[in-house]
Amino acid sequence: DPRALRVPVALGVLASLLLGPGDLRSNLTEAAATPVTTPEITIAMDAWLKPPPYTGKPPVLLTSPAMQQKFASGEGVTVPANAAFTVRVTGAKEPAIRFLPLDGGAPLNDIAAKINSNASGFTAETKLAQSARIEISNGEAMLATWPITIIPDLPPSLAWAKEPTIETGGSLSLNWQAKDDYGVRGITSDV
C-alpha cells in the first residue's frame, strides 16, 4: 500500500468502536450483527371466465382493475351457460372456494370445482351452469367475491321458411329458417 490508505480506514473503524454509544463489546456485536428479515409473502390471484367457444364471446378477466371497479359498485358479470371458471392463487396459506346463491343462503353443493392445491399455489376450475356468487378466502380472510349471472343457452329452432316445392327437373327445394341465441353456422341432415 504505497499511499498508506489502510491507516486512515483502520483509525476510522477504531474511533467508531471506541467513541460510539455503549461499550466496546456492544459496539462490536452490533457492527458484526446482520439483521434477519423475513420477506413478506404477498398473495397473488388471477381469475377468469371463458364462455363456450360456440358463443363467440371473449373471456372475462375477473381480477382486472376495470372488473374490480365494476364489482365494487355492486354490479356483477353475466356470461353464457357452461362458461369455464378458473382461479389461481399463490402465497395463501389456507385457500378455499365457495359457491353461494346470488341472494345469499347456504352454499350450492351442486357446483363442484376441480381443485389442485400444492406448494406452488391453489387452482380451482369448474363449469358454471347456474348463477352463483363465488368466494375465495384465505383462512378467515376474504380475498375476493364475484357475483356471476348465467344466461341460459336456449336450444336452436328450425322451421320451414315456406313449404317445400318441386322445381322443374324434379329437384326438391327446401327453404329453412334457423335461429339460435349465438348464431347459426350451418344445418346438416342425416336424411
Side-chain angles (χ1 to χ4, degrees):
D1 186 14
R3 296 191 180 133
L5 294 177
R6 287 182 275 173
V7 173
V9 171
L11 286 174
V13 170
L14 184 61
S16 65
L17 290 174
L18 294 174
L19 300 175
D23 60 2
L24 180 62
R25 183 176 181 162
S26 66
N27 288 345
L28 281 172
T29 305
E30 287 178 20
T34 55
V36 177
T37 58
T38 305
E40 184 177 318
I41 297 174
T42 58
I43 296 176
M45 179 171 39
D46 284 318
W48 61 93
L49 288 162
K50 186 176 178 187
Y54 67 86
T55 65
K57 302 289 184 186
V60 178
L61 183 60
L62 298 172
T63 52
S64 72
M67 291 305 285
Q68 293 301 316
Q69 287 179 348
K70 188 174 184 176
F71 292 126
S73 70
E75 294 182 56
V77 173
T78 303
V79 292
N82 296 317
F85 169 77
T86 305
V87 63
R88 291 187 184 144
V89 181
T90 57
K93 292 183 179 181
E94 300 176 46
I97 185 169
R98 288 184 350 154
F99 299 94
L100 302 163
L102 287 177
D103 57 359
L108 299 170
N109 294 326
D110 50 342
I111 301 177
K114 178 183 168 190
I115 295 175
N116 183 10
S117 185
N118 53 39
S120 64
F122 172 85
T123 303
E125 299 175 315
T126 191
K127 289 196 183 236
L128 296 175
Q130 64 181 336
S131 299
R133 190 174 80 241
I134 302 170
E135 292 183 348
I136 306 295
S137 61
N138 182 25
E140 296 296 319
M142 184 64 61
L143 298 178
T145 180
W146 302 295
I148 310 296
T149 302
I150 298 297
I151 304 168
D153 187 8
L154 302 174
S157 65
L158 186 63
W160 297 108
K162 61 182 184 178
E163 290 294 322
T165 57
I166 298 178
E167 302 291 328
T168 56
S171 64
L172 181 63
S173 176
L174 303 172
N175 291 313
W176 302 91
Q177 181 179 16
K179 291 182 183 178
D180 187 59
D181 42 358
Y182 297 107
V184 176
R185 292 192 183 149
I187 301 171
T188 59
S189 174
D190 293 335
V191 178

